[in-house]
Amino acid sequence: MAVSVRHYREVLAQDSSNIEAIACIGMHHFYTDQPEVSLRFYRRLLQMGLYTAELFVNLGLCCFASQQYDMTLVCFQRAFAISSNENIGEIWYNLGHIALGLSDTTWAGQCFRLAIAGDNSHAEAYNNLGVLEARKGRSDLAIAFFQTAASLAPHMFEPFFNQAKIADSVGDLQNSYLIVQKALENYPDHADSKELFAKLKKHFEAL
């Protein structure tokens, strides 16, 4: 990532209006816990006349991370106002994360369901609904959401790990052992999956 950011900075030195470079550097700062810096880059895109739902979502997420809560909702309102069928699901999904950040799981659940209504192939939204249902103790419904997420995005590790965790909690150790290996195939360095796998492996070796 550092190499690509350096490349984009070199691009900006040659062309200060390069939209892709500005957006990528802004994204880099957001994911390195510098939302205030990221905001500067995204606002620069607005000043250049870029007016997209995706940009307003990114602005909203940065505002939320910077604790500018009033501006967060304003940005999402603007994103919804110019949304299309192609991106409405992603907007609801990101608003769901804002709701989670505010510890409002009811609102978050509504957002994730609306994300699926807008895009019924949104695997991350299915996975997050599964997590919310698991917290309520509704294991069967949670597993159904995780299985849907895994079928839509077999490259994701989260739905497999979440299924394995539930299976382990209800004593279905064999199933948990098999499923957690799928999580590790997708993300070998996931600490919680490695820990669960090691625990289950030790259990079966002791039999």
Side-chain angles (χ1 to χ4, degrees), residues 25-187:
I25 294 173
M27 180 180 67
H28 167 73
H29 284 295
F30 178 77
Y31 284 109
T32 52
D33 296 323
Q34 302 174 76
E36 295 88 354
V37 179
S38 184
L39 268 174
R40 293 208 299 267
F41 285 92
Y42 289 136
R43 282 173 175 157
R44 184 169 164 187
L45 291 175
L46 273 183
Q47 292 165 356
M48 290 168 55
L50 190 67
Y51 201 80
T52 67
E54 291 82 2
L55 177 56
F56 280 110
V57 166
N58 287 338
L59 281 164
L61 293 172
C62 288
C63 287
F64 185 76
S66 304
Q67 299 182 344
Q68 300 177 37
Y69 301 129
D70 53 339
M71 286 304 300
T72 299
L73 293 181
V74 169
C75 289
F76 272 91
Q77 286 169 349
R78 290 183 179 175
F80 281 120
I82 58 175
S83 65
S84 66
N85 290 336
E86 286 71 35
N87 57 31
I88 188 69
E90 190 67 13
I91 299 172
W92 279 116
Y93 173 73
N94 280 288
L95 188 59
H97 277 283
I98 298 297
L100 287 178
L102 295 171
S103 300
D104 191 335
T105 56
T106 300
W107 183 29
Q110 292 170 343
C111 289
F112 295 138
R113 289 181 186 279
L114 286 166
I116 291 170
D119 177 7
N120 62 10
S121 64
H122 204 300
E124 293 86 352
Y126 281 107
N127 179 72
N128 285 8
L129 279 172
V131 171
L132 293 177
E133 293 300 332
R135 289 179 183 175
K136 297 174 185 175
R138 300 172 183 168
S139 297
D140 290 344
L141 185 54
I143 289 171
F145 280 128
F146 294 143
Q147 288 174 339
T148 301
S151 68
L152 290 169
H155 62 279
M156 287 176 61
F157 76 91
E158 294 93 341
F160 293 114
F161 170 71
N162 290 328
Q163 286 182 72
K165 191 164 64 169
I166 289 179
D168 177 61
S169 69
V170 299
D172 188 359
L173 304 187
Q174 182 67 40
N175 208 23
S176 180
Y177 182 69
L178 294 173
I179 297 173
V180 76
Q181 291 180 67
K182 295 179 182 178
L184 286 168
E185 286 173 10
N186 290 345
Y187 185 13

